[in-house]
C-alpha cells in the first residue's frame, strides 16, 4: 500500500487538500478530536502517517513512506537522502536574520564578530554566516527564538518568518532573507525508481494537477 | 533582577507552585489565554522566562537565567554546563526501551545487532546500547516515536514513559528502564558562586521548603 508522510502543523490542511485532488482522502486527520497517527484513505488504496514536520524526511528516507510533504526549510537543514519531486508552492515563508528594532545593525554583515545568534536552524545559520565570512556563535534553541535578543542572550536570530507578526510583536526587524521556503513533495528514491505501490501513477496525476493549477494562476 | 527559566509543558504547573513557596508568584503564566513568554513576579523581585524544556539549560548555561527547572532527562541528553542544585521529585517518569508486544524480544540484550531504534534521546540511547555492547542504528525522531515500530521502521524505541498509556494504546511493551527522571533545580554556576540577584537566599529558602516537604512525606 502506498504510504504518505504528512506534516503536523501549518502545512497539514493544504497537504491533505493536495492529495484529495488525486482521489486520496485523508481528511479524518483534520477532525478536531483526531488522535490517530495513521489513517487509510477512504478508498482504501493509500495510508497517511501524521508526523512532525522534521520527521517526514526520516520516514521517507527509510522507505517507510514512499511519498511525503515537507517544508523546504527542513530539507535545507536536515539534508536527508530523498528525491525532491516538486515545489508545491504553498506554505510560503522565509528563513531570515532578525535583530532588535533598536539595534544599530542594518545588515547581517554589520553584526559584530563572535556575537551570538539564536536559531532552530543551526546548520543553515552556520552556513550563511560562514559564506558571509562573519564568525558567529550559534545558540541552538528549540522554540521561542525571539526570546534570544529580548533577554540579551543573542544579538540576532535566524528564524522562519511568514507574516512577520511574531517579529513585530517582539520588537524585532528582519535584516536579511537567507532563503524562501515552500512545501515540497518528496519521495523515497528507490521506491520512485522502481514504481513501488503505483507511486508513478500518483506522481503523474499530482503533476497534472499542479500544472493545471499553475496554468490557471498564470492565465 | 533574579531570572528563572521555566519549562513549558508537563512540569510547568508544579514548577510555578514550587517557587510560590518562597513568595515568587508566576501564576500569570498558567492563565489559559496567556501569550507572554516573560512575566515579573507579583512582588516585582523576579522574572520568569517561559521556554521549551530543552531550552531551559541553554538560558541557564548562558547566564540569561540564574535559575531554572528542567527534567533530568534533558540534563542527561544535552549535558549542559549548569549546576544541578536539587532533585525536586516531581514530574517522575522513566527513559525506557520498548518494543511491540508481539515481538520475540524480552530484554534489550535480545535485540538483533544493527537493528533500528527510534528515539528523541539519541545520545542516551547510543550510550545505553554501547554500554550493553549491542550495536544498533539510532533513528532520530522529533515526535510520536511509537510510530517507529508500528510502521516497521524500527524494532524498538527509547522514549520517556510516565503512565505507560501511550505504549499500551500503541501495542508496545517496556523491556528495560535506562534511568528515571524527575524535575531538577539548576543554576548558572558563576551566578550561584557569586550570589548574584540574591540567588543564595532563594536557594536556601527553596531547600528549607523541600526539606519540610520531605520531612512531611517520611513522617
Amino acid at each position: 500500500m502506498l504510504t504518505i508522510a504528512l506534516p503536523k502543523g501549518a502545512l497539514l490542511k493544504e497537504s491533505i487538500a493536495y492529495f484529495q485532488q488525486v482521489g486520496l482522502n485523508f481528511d479524518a486527520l483534520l477532525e478536531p478530536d483526531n488522535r490517530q497517527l495513521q489513517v487509510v484513505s477512504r478508498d482504501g488504496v493509500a495510508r497517511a502517517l501524521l508526523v512532525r514536520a522534521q520527521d517526514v524526511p526520516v520516514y521517507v528516507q527509510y522507505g517507510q513512506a514512499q511519498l511525503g510533504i515537507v517544508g523546504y526549510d527542513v530539507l535545507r537543514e536536515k539534508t536527508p537522502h530523498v528525491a525532491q519531486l516538486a515545489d508545491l508552492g504553498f506554505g510560503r515563508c522565509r528563513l531570515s536574520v532578525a535583530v532588535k528594532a533598536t539595534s544599530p545593525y542594518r545588515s547581517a554583515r554589520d553584526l559584530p564578530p563572535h556575537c551570538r545568534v539564536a536559531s532552530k536552524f543551526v546548520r543553515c545559520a552556520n552556513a550563511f554566516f560562514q559564506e558571509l565570512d562573519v564568525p558567529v556563535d550559534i545558540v541552538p534553541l528549540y522554540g521561542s527564538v525571539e526570546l534570544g535578543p529580548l533577554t540579551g542572550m543573542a544579538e540576532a536570530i535566524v528564524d522562519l518568518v511568514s507574516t512577520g507578526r511574531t517579529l513585530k510583536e517582539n520588537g524585532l526587524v528582519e535584516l536579511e532573507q537567507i532563503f524562501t521556503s515552500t512545501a515540497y513533495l518528496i519521495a523515497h528514491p528507490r521506491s520512485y525508481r522502481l514504481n513501488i505501490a503505483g507511486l508513478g501513477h500518483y506522481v503523474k496525476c499530482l503533476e497534472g494537477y499542479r500544472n493545471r493549477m499553475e496554468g490557471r494562476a498564470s492565465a
Side-chain angles (χ1 to χ4, degrees), chain A residues 99-150:
Chain A
V99 292
K100 273 184 167 178
T102 55
S103 100
Y105 313 118
R106 286 298 158 258
S107 87
R109 222 176 275 274
D110 294 346
L111 286 169
H114 307 292
C115 74
R116 290 184 191 150
V117 178
S119 188
K120 289 180 243 179
F121 293 83
V122 172
R123 268 190 174 185
C124 292
N126 257 324
F128 173 76
F129 283 102
Q130 254 172 38
E131 177 76 15
L132 211 64
D133 215 9
V134 175
V136 296
D137 175 10
I138 306 291
V139 179
L141 289 180
Y142 281 77
S144 305
V145 176
E146 62 276 12
L147 261 183
L150 296 190

Side-chain angles (χ1 to χ4, degrees), chain A residues 73 93-99 117-122 124-125 129 141-149 156-162 164 166-167 170 172 174-181:
Chain A
D73 57 304
C93 56
R94 50 197 186 269
L95 191 75
S96 292
V97 184
V99 292
V117 178
S119 188
K120 289 180 243 179
F121 293 83
V122 172
C124 292
F129 283 102
L141 289 180
Y142 281 77
S144 305
V145 176
E146 62 276 12
L147 261 183
I157 63 173
V158 166
D159 205 15
L160 287 181
V161 181
S162 56
T166 306
L167 291 185
N170 289 289
L172 302 174
E174 226 172 321
L175 279 192
E176 228 153 287
Q177 291 187 22
I178 299 179
F179 57 76
T180 60
S181 177

